Amino acid sequence: MDIEQSKQPAPPGNFVTADAPGYDSLLQCMRCGFCLPSCPTFQLTGRERSSPRGRVAMARAIAEKKLDLTAAMKEEAFFCLDCRACTSACPSGVQAGSIMEHCRSQVARQDGVSLSPARQLRAFVLEKMLPSPGLMKNSLVVARLYQRLGLQWLVRRTGVLSLGPQWLGKAEQMLPWLEKPLSDGLAELTPARGEKRGRVGFFLGCVMNLMFAEVSSQTVRVLAHQGFDVVTPGKQKCCGAPHLSEGDPITARKLAVANIELFMAQDVDYIITDCAGCGAALKDYKKMLEGYYDEATLHAFSAKIRDVSEFLAEQGLRSADLIPQPVSVTYHDPCHLAHAQQITAAPRILIKAIPGVELREMNESDWCCGSAATFGLKYVDASHKILKRKLANIAATNADLLITANPGCQLQLAWGLKKADMQQQLLHIMQLLGQATPV
Ligand code: SF4
Ligand code: SF4
């Protein structure tokens, strides 16, 4: 089937066009309300329409022609964090986050092609920039010059961005110190060390490559030290998660096909990622491309995807030569690991396997940090309120380190820790394991 077309024969009810939520998925909700305590936007607003139940009810009303695609529905589609905490809590397995992703694609289609600068920029980023590793790297060059020429210092010193939109100021404050992209210096094959246990492909996500090169270089080093040949194909593309999040499933499908074909051509046992958001998207390719792509290949691809902590816990961490790390740590579960992939035990197994590390559990460790793709920039105040609840739970542990496993969480948490003047150092779990891994 043509990837640009919807597999649905016709969108249900008042949904406008392709890629609408499936009607059956809307009927699953029995309106019990078990999801309400787990939904950050409901807890924040107390509004039924900002709850999983309310959102699904609105989508169902549209599908049944009782409601148009109103401004309220559009707002709720984007105000949903897609954190999937509601799905973990729901006895029927209702996927309100995924339903809202589909509603976003409706909004994007209904609004159609517009010449407004914001819409043009969105189209450029989603359709041209993110699918092109070259353009992504060029954008990084500009950002690095901004930092290295002292412009960032000047901007921060003068506070000039406080005169502009709120999101711009926050985005600037969140920007980490940028090094060269990891893809520039990473060989396609990093050989296993010690007794070889297998051969894995490494999916290097865009944000990890551009903003957290040091983290992913540790991931590759740890995997090699654990006995795996690591193949990092140079031509990999964005996983498509930002496109689904912004209502562009067509570009997401194109990217998914490119990644499947690239990785299935490699002779690897597993495909590993250290980005929870990428892992969730890669595991979802099966659902995303159902009806568009060869089913057996989709199954084979999905069966190979592993988050790095899931993989190492499954394979068994070789810990005999790990260097003791005498620190206390607390762990924040990224939504796209805990709720989208149901992975909560594996990171804790790894943390506890490092000699000297004391794990101090925080309350509500799987409560969203408020980042959620572009949510943290679109709804700066709401995002900050959600983050404050997380920061209070982190502070209560009094742990030396805060550990997480997703770049979006890392950006948001680093911003929050700094803003709240908190002393905890923030690390990705692979940085912690990298510190414990001998050179
Ligand atoms: S989404 Fe699930 S938990 Fe929430 S009201 Fe519907 S059935 Fe109940
Ligand atoms: S995905 Fe998160 S924000 Fe969205 S409805 Fe579910 S719990 Fe609420």
Side-chain angles (χ1 to χ4, degrees):
M1 184 181 284
D2 182 352
I3 217 125
E4 304 230 2
Q5 303 300 316
S6 166
K7 61 191 171 199
Q8 291 173 334
N14 286 340
F15 282 116
V16 283
T17 178
D19 294 306
Y23 186 55
D24 287 351
S25 71
L26 305 174
L27 296 181
Q28 270 179 286
C29 177
M30 53 194 178
R31 301 176 183 172
C32 63
F34 284 178
C35 54
L36 300 182
S38 67
C39 175
T41 55
F42 177 70
Q43 291 297 316
L44 193 65
T45 62
R47 277 190 320 225
E48 176 71 11
R49 72 171 227 194
S50 301
S51 74
R53 183 174 65 185
R55 289 181 170 119
V56 176
M58 277 202 287
R60 180 171 171 177
I62 293 168
E64 292 175 347
K65 293 196 169 185
K66 293 173 184 157
L67 189 70
D68 286 326
L69 201 51
T70 56
M73 181 73 243
K74 291 180 187 178
E75 172 78 7
E76 285 310 327
F78 285 95
F79 191 55
C80 168
L81 296 146
D82 196 12
C83 67
R84 323 232 181 147
C86 51
T87 304
S88 294
C90 174
S92 298
V94 173
Q95 303 204 346
S98 167
I99 289 168
M100 289 305 104
E101 272 185 354
H102 282 90
C103 288
R104 291 175 196 182
S105 79
Q106 299 297 298
V107 176
R109 298 285 181 91
Q110 192 189 46
D111 289 353
V113 180
S114 152
L115 293 178
S116 81
R119 298 273 310 165
Q120 292 293 311
L121 178 65
R122 175 189 174 278
F124 173 74
V125 171
L126 291 177
E127 293 165 25
K128 298 274 186 285
M129 194 166 140
L130 283 169
S132 161
L135 276 177
M136 291 289 283
K137 273 207 300 202
N138 289 344
S139 70
L140 186 75
V141 171
V142 177
R144 288 179 70 218
L145 278 176
Y146 165 74
Q147 292 183 327
R148 278 157 181 75
L149 293 177
L151 292 171
Q152 182 174 50
W153 178 85
L154 199 63
V155 162
R156 290 185 176 180
R157 183 99 181 166
T158 57
V160 65
L161 289 186
S162 61
L163 303 172
Q166 215 182 357
W167 70 266
L168 189 60
K170 181 177 176 187
E172 202 290 322
Q173 288 167 16
M174 288 172 88
L175 191 67
W177 185 252
L178 299 167
E179 301 296 346
K180 280 191 179 164
L182 181 60
S183 56
D184 279 0
L186 185 63
E188 284 233 349
L189 173 67
T190 306
R193 290 170 59 184
E195 191 187 336
K196 187 171 156 180
R197 299 159 86 189
R199 182 178 157 94
V200 300
F202 182 52
F203 184 86
L204 178 56
C206 315
V207 183
M208 297 306 291
N209 183 31
L210 300 179
M211 294 191 177
F212 294 104
E214 198 268 328
V215 175
S216 286
S217 74
Q218 292 288 11
T219 302
V220 172
R221 196 174 73 81
V222 167
L223 285 167
H225 186 84
Q226 288 291 324
F228 299 94
D229 279 341
V230 185
V231 180
T232 313
K235 290 189 176 152
Q236 50 192 288
K237 305 262 190 191
C238 169
C239 66
H243 303 81
L244 290 178
S245 169
E246 285 299 312
D248 179 7
I250 293 175
T251 310
R253 287 198 284 269
K254 289 179 186 168
L255 293 167
V257 168
N259 284 323
I260 289 172
E261 290 180 352
L262 179 69
F263 276 94
M264 291 309 277
Q266 316 294 324
D267 179 24
V268 294
D269 309 321
Y270 294 95
I271 300 162
I272 312 295
T273 176
D274 56 7
C275 166
C278 296
L282 295 170
K283 286 179 179 175
D284 263 0
Y285 280 5
K286 201 164 59 167
K287 202 167 68 184
M288 195 200 298
L289 289 174
E290 190 185 7
Y292 292 100
Y293 201 77
D294 175 60
E295 207 182 311
T297 312
L298 284 178
H299 275 278
F301 179 82
S302 290
K304 286 176 189 273
I305 305 298
R306 294 286 186 283
D307 178 79
V308 64
S309 52
E310 176 187 25
F311 176 71
L312 289 172
E314 224 172 66
Q315 298 290 318
L317 191 74
R318 290 198 303 216
S319 57
D321 65 348
L322 291 184
I323 304 161
Q325 303 293 307
V327 283
S328 55
V329 311
T330 190
Y331 176 72
H332 160 68
D333 287 281
C335 299
H336 281 85
L337 207 54
H339 299 304
Q341 301 183 60
Q342 302 295 314
I343 297 172
T344 53
R348 291 170 170 82
I349 289 170
L350 298 189
I351 290 170
K352 287 181 189 164
I354 302 171
V357 173
E358 179 202 349
L359 175 62
R360 294 185 189 167
E361 289 288 359
M362 69 172 89
N363 282 334
E364 301 178 329
S365 64
D366 63 353
W367 188 260
C368 181
C369 66
S371 172
T374 53
F375 181 97
L377 296 178
K378 282 184 181 137
Y379 302 98
V380 174
D381 291 335
S383 164
H384 195 198
K385 284 181 186 152
I386 294 168
L387 175 62
K388 278 184 176 166
R389 181 164 168 166
K390 171 65 62 181
L391 293 175
N393 284 324
I394 293 166
T397 67
N398 209 19
D400 303 321
L401 299 181
L402 169 61
I403 304 295
T404 191
N406 186 54
C409 304
Q410 248 180 299
L411 290 169
Q412 170 88 342
L413 290 168
W415 178 79
L417 289 172
K418 196 167 163 198
K419 212 170 164 60
D421 207 13
M422 287 168 64
Q423 301 309 314
Q424 265 103 353
Q425 194 193 348
L426 173 63
L427 293 180
H428 188 285
I429 188 168
M430 296 312 291
Q431 285 174 297
L432 180 65
L433 206 46
Q435 286 178 4
T437 298
V439 180

